[in-house]
Amino acid sequence: MKHLLLIAAACAASPLWAAEWATRPGDVPLSPAELDALAGRTLTFYDDGQSKYSAGGAYSYTYSAVNGGGTAFGTYSIAADGSICVQYRNGFDRCDLYVRNDGRLILITEKGERFPVRPE
């Protein structure tokens, strides 16, 4: 019983258990192979912001000119639940879930916001 309590405490403190992803019918999370294939890709959103996933775990997000421009840098990792977690150099961190729905790639934030990715 003590062992189970320790596991439960560790899981409760984990960010993986913090997010209840707000998926919709038809949402299919990316497979491990699709998540691995993000390395070396730049994803562009409809507001012209760009997420760049580099080999080795480097990450950058460049804001569109309309949103002030500039780039935030950090590192990313793939969590056990299939989400992508980013730790920014400024100390901020976040996890997002990528899903496919009806042929579209969509990023879902922990708050449940949905941001479709432009087709390449």
Side-chain angles (χ1 to χ4, degrees), residues 28-88:
V28 177
L30 296 188
S31 69
E34 289 174 308
L35 291 168
D36 288 341
L38 287 175
R41 290 186 61 196
T42 299
L43 303 179
T44 302
F45 297 89
Y46 280 91
D47 69 350
D48 290 327
Q50 293 186 320
S51 287
K52 182 175 183 177
Y53 298 92
S54 299
Y59 174 83
S60 64
Y61 183 82
T62 302
Y63 293 88
S64 67
V66 171
N67 289 320
T71 302
F73 297 95
T75 58
Y76 78 95
S77 60
I78 300 169
D81 70 349
S83 62
I84 301 287
C85 295
V86 176
Q87 292 187 320
Y88 291 94

Side-chain angles (χ1 to χ4, degrees), residues 1-19:
M1 181 69 163
K2 185 176 181 181
H3 181 68
L4 290 176
L5 290 175
L6 289 174
I7 291 172
C11 290
S14 169
L16 300 178
W17 288 81

